[in-house]
Amino acid sequence: MPSPRASCRALALHATSRFSAVAVSGASSGRPSLVARHVRQQIPQLRLVSTKNARPKTAIFFPGQGVQKVGMLTPWLEAFPATATAIFQEIDEIVGHKLSDVIQGGPGKVLNLTPNAQPAIMATSIMILRILEKEFGFRASDRADFTLGHSLGEFAALVAGGYIEFEDSLYMVQKRAESMAAATRRAAEDYGGEYGMVAIVTEPEYLQPLINAIHDFVGHSSAGSKSESAEDRSPIEQVLIANINSKNQIVLSGNIERIKTLVEHVRQFLGHDPRAVRLKSDSPFHSPIMKPAVAVMHNILARKSRVKGREDEDIVTYPGTLPCISNVSARPFESKEDLKDLLARGCLETVQWWDSIKYLDQEEKVRRWIGIGPGKVGRNLVGKEVGMRGKDTVKGGGVWAITDPSEIEEVLRGLEETESLVDEE
């Protein structure tokens, strides 16, 4: 007899195979597809009262820029037409144009533009979360203990954690993205050159020597805050560490030619040949070039909410319903003022993703991780650190991702199966 987890995977594969054949009929009629109904029928337990005090600690995480894909709404619109359509009508109203058309029709070079990509990813992540809430009774505050997001994903995490309303957060993402794109244009116009981001993949034993070599090359010593010496240089000379993503991956941000020179320097003097991968980004995020975006964020965060009925209230609610981990500090936000300061500085500072995951894994003993949003990058980075074995098992819990409707059943059933597991350590 197959194990419950094997049966779960078989059901998920069965749902996936049925999805393409039946989803369109659901979309055209305005009714949920057979996949949506199948998932709900298979997991009635989700509407039971949470066992938060007894279950393993759980974190929900959201992806950052680079996971955008033309047509990424299609599966959701087909499986949950009424819910998804209503959400994206709301999204288009908030951003002031048909962002949904850009996501669905592209072309890719238009969707990949920062002012489109960032709101599109954040909005799609929250759309998936709302579908889970409305269609399956999933509540982040009941099912999780922490929330976090990779760079841009922090804005979705703050919505899920009850700190910022969706309308305010999406507006903030839109204005942040516009200011980042403008800062990049100014750097190119004033100094020339091409700007972007490059992932550097190495072996774990080379990571710290690699970071040290980069600091020596660019002339500053901090892996986190960007030094004044770096900010005083012209943009064409700036290359800094934008992300420390895992035990074997960092991301460099800045002038592309300068990044190429730095990589050659590492290969020559470190005696190591790391793999360099250009990312789908038209701006050098988390570098001093993004400093104007910090001011924009501080300005917005000083205002009141844009949400109807909350116009006299602060844009940030503190505390939220779940602790949220800051990209800058790799620890939970400690106050409303701390949240505003770190969220604004996040445009400029290094994303301490590896430290964030290590903190939750080693200090908070989080044993279940749920990625919500497009793409599998976040799930892979988390799994790499916390010891993913096979497809989703890890230290008495699991690492899952909901990027497509066909994955819902496996993830929610996996949560139910691990609800009473005891930490192995």
Side-chain angles (χ1 to χ4, degrees):
M1 177 179 294
S3 68
R5 191 171 299 280
S7 298
C8 170
R9 279 197 281 267
L11 282 168
L13 290 171
H14 177 59
T16 303
S17 66
R18 295 172 64 192
F19 175 75
S20 59
V22 302
V24 175
S25 63
S28 61
S29 66
R31 299 190 302 272
S33 72
L34 292 182
V35 168
R37 290 188 299 232
H38 172 73
V39 173
R40 285 198 294 268
Q41 290 166 0
Q42 290 295 322
I43 320 177
Q45 304 97 314
L46 268 184
R47 297 193 180 277
L48 295 178
V49 176
S50 169
T51 56
K52 184 170 183 175
N53 293 330
R55 58 163 168 72
K57 284 189 178 180
T58 305
I60 296 175
F61 60 94
F62 298 89
Q65 189 162 349
V67 299
Q68 67 274 7
K69 181 181 178 182
V70 173
M72 62 186 176
L73 303 182
T74 299
W76 300 98
L77 290 165
E78 291 176 342
F80 307 98
T83 303
T85 299
I87 293 170
F88 261 84
Q89 286 174 346
E90 176 188 359
I91 290 165
D92 288 344
E93 290 175 5
I94 294 171
V95 300
H97 63 91
K98 293 286 286 183
L99 178 62
S100 57
D101 285 352
V102 176
I103 300 172
Q104 287 300 87
K109 64 181 180 180
V110 175
L111 177 59
N112 290 341
L113 295 175
T114 294
N116 292 327
Q118 290 195 6
I121 294 164
M122 186 270 187
T124 301
S125 297
I126 295 301
M127 178 198 69
I128 295 172
L129 179 62
R130 284 193 175 179
I131 286 173
L132 292 173
E133 291 171 348
K134 184 171 181 180
E135 304 286 347
F136 303 98
F138 181 97
R139 294 286 181 273
S141 57
D142 292 336
R143 289 281 168 172
D145 303 276
F146 298 92
T147 182
L148 69 162
H150 188 275
S151 187
L152 163 70
E154 190 166 76
F155 290 86
L158 288 167
V159 174
Y163 297 87
I164 304 178
E165 295 292 329
F166 174 56
E167 179 178 343
D168 288 327
S169 190
L170 183 58
Y171 173 80
M172 205 179 302
V173 167
Q174 181 183 20
K175 297 305 177 185
R176 173 182 182 265
E178 290 172 355
S179 64
M180 286 177 159
T184 304
R185 285 195 301 272
R186 283 194 294 271
E189 291 168 359
D190 293 347
Y191 298 95
E194 181 183 8
Y195 300 89
M197 305 177 77
V198 176
I200 306 296
V201 183
T202 184
E203 298 299 324
E205 61 267 26
Y206 283 103
L207 184 69
Q208 193 56 54
L210 175 63
I211 291 173
N212 294 339
I214 291 168
H215 290 161
D216 290 342
F217 180 82
V218 301
H220 72 97
S221 59
S222 172
S225 75
K226 308 305 195 223
S227 66
E228 288 299 322
S229 62
E231 292 184 15
D232 288 342
R233 297 182 180 186
S234 68
I236 202 165
E237 295 179 307
Q238 294 174 3
V239 172
L240 292 167
I241 296 175
N243 307 44
I244 302 178
N245 282 335
S246 70
K247 57 190 174 186
N248 72 330
Q249 184 193 113
I250 63 173
V251 174
L252 300 179
S253 183
N255 178 269
I256 294 299
E257 286 302 316
R258 183 103 170 129
I259 292 175
K260 290 179 180 177
T261 301
L262 190 155
V263 172
E264 289 304 317
H265 169 87
V266 167
R267 287 169 175 158
Q268 181 178 355
F269 294 101
L270 191 60
H272 177 53
D273 187 12
R275 185 160 60 96
V277 181
R278 179 80 182 265
L279 300 183
K280 260 196 308 189
S281 168
D282 60 1
S283 293
F285 306 125
H286 310 292
S287 78
I289 294 173
M290 297 292 104
K291 194 172 183 180
V294 177
V296 169
M297 285 293 298
H298 275 305
N299 181 276
I300 295 174
L301 286 162
R303 303 177 195 169
K304 302 295 184 181
S305 173
R306 293 168 50 86
V307 178
K308 187 175 181 180
R310 296 190 72 246
E311 295 91 344
D312 294 330
E313 298 180 30
D314 198 299
I315 197 169
V316 172
T317 299
Y318 193 92
T321 55
L322 285 172
C324 183
I325 307 301
S326 164
N327 277 302
V328 174
S329 68
R331 295 295 184 274
F333 294 108
E334 296 181 349
S335 66
K336 180 183 292 188
E337 293 71 26
D338 182 55
L339 190 159
K340 291 183 176 183
D341 178 54
L342 293 178
L343 186 60
R345 286 167 50 196
C347 302
L348 177 68
E349 304 283 359
T350 299
V351 175
Q352 302 289 349
W353 187 249
W354 187 29
D355 280 350
S356 299
I357 301 305
K358 286 192 294 183
Y359 164 73
L360 290 177
D361 177 49
Q362 298 173 16
E363 297 188 34
E364 294 294 343
K365 306 302 181 185
V366 167
R367 293 297 174 256
R368 303 192 302 181
W369 307 78
I370 311 165
I372 296 177
K376 297 285 182 70
V377 174
R379 178 185 183 277
N380 293 338
L381 289 175
V382 171
K384 187 183 297 184
E385 174 56 35
V386 302
M388 185 165 54
R389 303 183 183 95
K391 186 171 183 182
D392 58 20
T393 56
V394 50
K395 296 179 180 176
V399 182
W400 300 280
I402 299 177
T403 67
D404 182 275
S406 63
E407 296 165 329
I408 295 174
E409 180 178 338
E410 181 175 13
V411 175
L412 298 187
R413 188 179 292 278
L415 291 177
E416 292 301 321
E417 291 176 353
T418 58
E419 197 75 358
S420 60
L421 289 181
V422 178
D423 192 349
E424 295 176 349
E425 296 182 349

